[in-house]
Amino acid sequence: MSHPLYIAFIWHQHQPLYKSPGSALSPSQQYRLPWVRLHGTKDYLDLVLLLERYPKLHQTVNLVPSLILQLEDYIAGTAFDPYLTACLTPDEQLSQEQREFIIQHFFDANHHTLIDPHPRYSQLYQQRQEKGQAWCLANWELPDYGDLLAWHNLAWIDPLFWDDPEIATWLKQGRNFSLSDRQRIYSKQREILSRIIPQHRKMQEAGQLEVTTTPYTHPILPLLADTNSGRVAVPNMTLPKQRFQWEEDIPRHLRKAWNFYKDRFGQIPRGLWPSEQSVSPAILPHIINQGFKWICSDEAVLGWTLKHFFYRDGAGNVQQPELLYRPYRLQTAEGDLSIVFRDHRLSDLIGFTYSAMPAKKAAADLVGHLQAIAKMQRESQSEQPWLVTIALDGENCWEFYPEDGKPFLEALYQSLSDEPHLKLVTVSEFLEEFPATATIPGGQLHSGSWVDGSFTTWIGDRAKNRAWDYLTEAREMLASHPEATEENNPEAWEALYAAEGSDWFWWFGAGHSSNQDAIFDQLFREHLFGIYKALNEPVPPYLKQPVEIHEAQGSHTPQGFIHPVIDGKGDEQDWDKAGRIEIGGARGTMHNSSVIQRLWYGVDHLNFYLRLDFKGGVAPGGDFPTELNLLWFYPEKTMVNSPVPLADVPDAAPLNYLFHHLLEVNLLTQSIQFREAGDNYQWHPRFSRAQVALNSCLELAVPWADLQVPPDYPLRLILVLADEGRFCNYLPENALIPIEVP
């Protein structure tokens, strides 16, 4: 029997608890950040409304209980955050502190997609970027503040709702927004938020949608069971001083999520999205005992479990796909549990790369990958149908897409509706028709997450471990009060659940940063503070100090995918997740260390990106060399290589290595020549689609197709400066630039 290729999209909708427990006794809840309200008007409702237009397509959406709780506060009008408070304040009553806050934070959005399309919002943004915050504070008048307050909210309303008469009027109005206008915009936000849960419930009851849940406040369950589980993937991990072992909290989070879901959706949940797709053998009995039928995780976890690395061909398609594209049955003493594993690359293409491509081309690329998998399924003559799981964050990626991803999703959904060999299903639909036949003993399941199959994002460095030690102390304090039950002291338990959430640990220490790290730090400590306060215990003095000092970082490795516009302007948002190497003045060893100040580098699935920042006022030819050479070194790979084709190159590592690809950039003409090493130490010209631009900085994009390297491959890069073919200098000073092909 010939089966179509089944595809399960799972969209994960989540926000941490922004509500400060310090204001829990107030009728209105004080929220530290506005993201539930803003993502609520931009990302949660439109995703399923758009899907509803394509009734043949079935999908799964995961809604985290802590997100729903906060949506309900905003709908009830009891949630207020500093951004909202400023918006509802008469212009003339804005304090100096509020004005500073507005100028600093009301452009917190991707300016390419959310600010630039709106002329008035873009005008205010450019004033702040070009003239600075101090100038705005000194020169802006009340209408400037009023318009910024309005546009900060309007830009986050999804384009799907722009045909609403009131919204259309505001977008056309553009400027001179009154307090009354802003009050109506806030009412419109609440109106959109109020439709989110009913729409999901309606579509689930109609059979087009499956709604799943997550442990109550999104904790990393394996780490609640035992922080030592971090050493399964990283045996030499530095662990917190105190071992956190509170496995009994796992059924509490699961039970609260289960009951919460039943109350909102009128039925019991079948699927569970483990927070950050984090799993371990220890958590399985609790999930089974609560009644969940299936969970999802990442291909890296499956790879570790099977001791199999999922290699991909040059097109990015998985080799041995039959191992990944099937559900498995986890066998435990408590019973069995189905598990599906997502295709990491296809999920990341939507999450991080397709936003940089034209919508129809991106949709065609994804459908092309699925058609290739369907062909492999047919050729395998497998009697069991395949299930491709594409699971990812359903909110943050759309900020980088034009029109919040609407053109991309429309093109994708239309193509999938028209393709007879591809069938979109919910996970439960597939499992009911085709129960898992492949089995994995529960004890064999790897302990890890979607991030590299490990827990290093949440534990293992100094700041993260310190936060775990603080949490351990608070948890033990609660345990020393057996009289404090959830029934008679819910405040203490709610504070504990909030502090056990994963998000605080995500932002602590290395790996991730934002301009709101200090607020996440404060919220974590406030939740711990709430435990002691509810127990009438003295608060430890260390909770009054930040877990870590939040300073601007110097040199660091990439923190995520980037998609910069190559125009030589070095847009700060484009490069905020790039790796950075401080060059100028680091040791004073470079001949021109004061000219090149900083090197940025990063990747997406299409390109490698490089940026060089120069000292102000310098120009190629006079102040520094005219030629930049990028030379790629391929470690542990046998291939034809050649030495640097320049005169006067010192015979010293790494300059005396042999390289395979060379991209020469003429900084005067901004022209490029691409060459590949050949026999007898020759360099042969090759075609390149690399982009280069030199303005206030140098920006460069080199397609992976030029380098012809497979996915999941390590490269090394050195930059060599030259004048008329003669060596001048190289950078970075201390090591080759490490590049990981996605």
Side-chain angles (χ1 to χ4, degrees):
M1 177 182 175
S2 178
H3 293 284
L5 179 70
Y6 291 93
I7 303 143
F9 278 91
I10 311 176
W11 303 103
H12 174 57
Q13 312 288 30
H14 162 60
Q15 291 291 331
L17 276 169
Y18 297 117
K19 180 164 56 178
S20 168
S23 61
L25 298 178
S26 168
S28 62
Q29 309 293 338
Q30 182 58 46
Y31 280 68
R32 298 292 186 196
L33 292 168
W35 305 122
V36 169
R37 177 171 55 85
L38 296 181
H39 278 291
T41 55
K42 191 175 77 68
D43 296 312
Y44 306 138
L45 180 58
D46 65 291
L47 187 74
V48 290
L49 286 176
L50 203 56
L51 178 67
E52 193 176 32
R53 298 177 180 177
Y54 302 87
K56 289 168 59 177
L57 308 183
H58 293 191
Q59 289 185 1
T60 302
V61 173
N62 185 68
L63 296 173
V64 178
S66 56
L67 167 64
I68 298 176
L69 275 172
Q70 296 176 95
L71 287 172
E72 290 173 347
D73 280 350
Y74 277 108
I75 293 165
T78 59
F80 285 89
D81 56 72
Y83 298 72
L84 178 58
T85 300
C87 291
L88 299 180
T89 300
D91 301 349
E92 63 277 6
Q93 293 179 23
L94 290 170
S95 66
Q96 180 77 0
E97 183 181 8
Q98 281 181 308
R99 294 183 187 204
E100 292 173 1
F101 178 81
I102 291 165
I103 294 170
Q104 183 176 359
H105 289 292
F106 274 52
F107 299 104
D108 288 351
N110 181 282
H111 77 84
H112 295 301
T113 57
L114 291 179
I115 296 177
D116 294 351
H118 308 294
R120 176 57 168 154
Y121 201 5
S122 180
Q123 177 191 36
L124 295 169
Y125 175 74
Q126 292 303 326
Q127 285 182 1
R128 194 197 69 168
Q129 293 303 99
E130 294 169 8
K131 299 183 179 180
Q133 296 184 28
W135 183 91
C136 296
L137 198 61
N139 291 277
W140 274 5
E141 298 180 352
L142 293 182
D144 297 310
Y145 288 100
D147 289 351
L148 180 53
L149 291 169
W151 274 112
H152 174 69
N153 291 283
L154 283 174
W156 283 80
I157 294 178
D158 189 86
L160 201 66
F161 308 128
W162 286 1
D163 58 358
D164 175 287
E166 279 191 295
I167 296 172
T169 298
W170 293 322
L171 294 173
K172 185 178 179 181
Q173 177 180 332
R175 59 177 62 235
N176 298 321
F177 289 97
S178 64
L179 174 62
S180 176
D181 289 327
R182 301 199 300 270
Q183 290 170 334
R184 285 294 308 139
I185 294 170
Y186 168 54
S187 296
K188 187 63 67 176
Q189 287 179 330
R190 287 172 61 193
E191 179 186 314
I192 294 171
L193 299 183
S194 70
R195 296 169 57 193
I196 294 171
I197 301 306
Q199 182 66 27
H200 282 76
R201 179 169 176 162
K202 169 191 161 189
M203 290 177 66
Q204 177 160 257
E205 290 170 351
Q208 191 182 5
L209 202 65
E210 177 177 6
V211 181
T212 58
T213 191
T214 288
Y216 185 48
T217 57
H218 205 268
I220 305 295
L221 294 185
L223 295 179
L224 294 192
D226 188 352
T227 44
N228 280 13
S229 65
R231 281 191 172 157
V232 173
V234 185
N236 62 348
M237 173 182 281
T238 301
L239 292 170
K241 293 176 183 176
Q242 303 181 70
R243 187 174 182 178
F244 191 95
Q245 278 184 292
W246 290 94
E247 192 169 335
E248 67 189 68
D249 289 354
I250 293 175
R252 295 175 183 272
H253 279 278
L254 294 174
R255 184 174 61 252
K256 287 185 74 69
W258 180 277
N259 293 334
F260 190 89
Y261 182 102
K262 238 178 22 170
D263 183 64
R264 271 65 176 183
F265 294 99
Q267 63 183 70
I268 61 172
R270 296 182 60 82
L272 179 80
W273 176 296
S275 314
E276 307 293 357
Q277 296 187 339
S278 298
V279 295
S280 70
I283 73 172
L284 300 180
H286 303 293
I287 296 172
I288 292 167
N289 289 335
Q290 184 55 62
F292 290 101
K293 301 302 180 186
W294 65 268
I295 59 174
C296 62
S297 193
D298 183 73
E299 73 174 55
V301 172
L302 178 61
W304 282 75
T305 300
L306 301 180
K307 297 180 171 52
H308 171 87
F309 185 83
F310 286 100
Y311 290 97
R312 283 175 161 77
D313 62 23
N317 297 315
V318 169
Q319 297 176 5
Q320 292 184 265
E322 69 279 0
L323 294 177
L324 179 59
Y325 301 139
R326 65 188 305 175
Y328 288 81
R329 190 168 70 248
L330 297 167
Q331 297 176 314
T332 78
E334 282 74 15
D336 294 351
L337 179 70
S338 296
I339 183 169
V340 296
F341 296 95
R342 73 171 189 153
D343 183 308
H344 193 110
R345 186 172 190 273
L346 292 183
S347 304
D348 275 1
L349 283 171
I350 299 173
F352 303 109
T353 294
Y354 286 151
S355 60
M357 295 170 61
K360 290 185 178 179
K361 184 177 179 181
D365 186 80
L366 180 57
V367 173
H369 281 296
L370 295 171
Q371 289 170 329
I373 298 168
K375 183 181 178 185
M376 288 189 284
Q377 177 185 242
R378 290 193 297 273
E379 291 172 349
S380 74
Q381 297 183 328
S382 170
E383 292 187 10
Q384 281 295 115
W386 290 4
L387 176 70
V388 177
T389 301
I390 300 174
L392 68 151
D393 184 318
E395 54 204 357
N396 291 315
C397 67
W398 306 121
E399 187 177 340
F400 299 90
Y401 280 76
E403 295 182 50
D404 205 47
K406 181 172 172 281
F408 166 73
L409 286 173
E410 287 175 335
L412 176 64
Y413 289 168
Q414 189 60 57
S415 294
L416 291 171
S417 295
D418 295 340
E419 169 54 79
H421 302 295
L422 306 177
K423 184 173 182 179
L424 266 62
V425 292
T426 69
V427 178
S428 286
E429 278 178 333
F430 183 86
L431 292 173
E432 285 167 12
E433 189 172 354
F434 308 106
T437 56
T439 59
I440 296 173
Q444 184 182 322
L445 182 66
H446 174 67
S447 298
S449 74
W450 68 269
V451 185
D452 300 327
S454 75
F455 298 129
T456 54
T457 298
W458 303 275
I459 192 170
D461 80 4
R462 189 174 301 172
K464 297 177 194 293
N465 287 349
R466 186 180 302 121
W468 276 105
D469 286 331
Y470 291 177
L471 178 60
T472 302
E473 291 284 347
R475 184 64 184 89
E476 290 176 351
M477 176 60 72
L478 179 54
S480 72
H481 285 266
E483 79 287 353
T485 65
E486 285 200 74
E487 290 70 33
N488 63 32
N489 197 333
E491 292 84 2
W493 287 94
E494 288 295 319
L496 170 71
Y497 296 142
E500 288 180 333
S502 69
D503 296 270
W504 327 118
F505 302 93
W506 173 284
W507 294 109
F508 287 134
H512 299 95
S513 65
S514 72
N515 62 356
Q516 291 157 338
D517 285 2
I519 295 178
F520 287 112
D521 188 327
Q522 179 183 345
L523 274 166
F524 172 70
R525 289 180 290 110
E526 285 181 352
H527 293 309
L528 293 179
F529 191 105
I531 298 173
Y532 292 95
K533 183 179 175 184
L535 298 172
N536 291 315
E537 291 282 358
V539 177
Y542 56 74
L543 289 184
K544 297 175 183 175
Q545 302 297 324
V547 173
E548 62 177 330
I549 304 301
H550 301 280
E551 296 176 335
Q553 294 183 324
S555 298
H556 60 80
T557 56
Q559 298 181 345
F561 290 93
I562 62 171
H563 322 287
V565 175
I566 305 302
D567 57 10
K569 297 180 181 178
D571 186 283
E572 61 178 314
Q573 286 189 354
D574 285 359
W575 294 89
D576 66 347
K577 289 184 170 61
R580 187 167 78 185
I581 299 174
E582 297 295 331
I583 302 291
R587 285 182 177 78
T589 56
M590 279 190 66
H591 169 68
N592 52 2
S593 62
S594 62
V595 175
I596 298 178
Q597 297 184 314
R598 194 171 294 110
L599 181 158
W600 307 75
Y601 65 100
V603 305
D604 62 17
H605 289 90
L606 304 176
N607 299 293
F608 166 74
Y609 299 101
L610 178 75
R611 166 181 154 193
L612 295 180
D613 289 352
F614 305 105
K615 183 178 179 181
V618 302
D623 305 289
F624 62 92
T626 58
E627 300 160 13
L628 174 69
N629 297 269
L630 281 69
L631 291 122
W632 278 272
F633 176 72
Y634 294 72
E636 301 174 9
K637 189 168 184 178
T638 303
M639 59 201 330
V640 178
N641 296 304
S642 294
V644 181
L646 296 173
D648 304 333
V649 179
D651 185 15
L655 293 167
N656 57 6
Y657 289 6
L658 299 181
F659 302 89
H660 186 66
H661 283 118
L662 163 65
L663 184 72
E664 304 170 47
V665 182
N666 186 307
L667 300 176
L668 291 174
T669 61
Q670 298 180 43
S671 57
I672 60 171
Q673 294 185 53
F674 187 59
R675 291 195 271 173
E676 185 174 285
D679 292 332
N680 304 315
Y681 297 144
Q682 298 297 306
W683 286 98
H684 302 292
R686 294 287 183 265
F687 175 73
S688 172
R689 290 187 174 86
Q691 302 174 61
V692 63
L694 177 59
N695 195 318
S696 56
C697 67
L698 174 76
E699 291 181 310
L700 187 67
V702 183
W704 297 122
D706 285 7
L707 303 179
Q708 297 178 328
V709 290
D712 302 309
Y713 189 80
L715 303 180
R716 300 294 179 265
L717 176 68
I718 186 171
L719 276 57
V720 179
L721 296 161
D723 256 330
E724 298 182 0
R726 306 187 78 85
F727 172 83
C728 292
N729 219 317
Y730 74 97
L731 60 143
E733 297 178 81
N734 307 308
L736 299 175
I737 300 171
I739 306 166
E740 300 297 325
V741 183

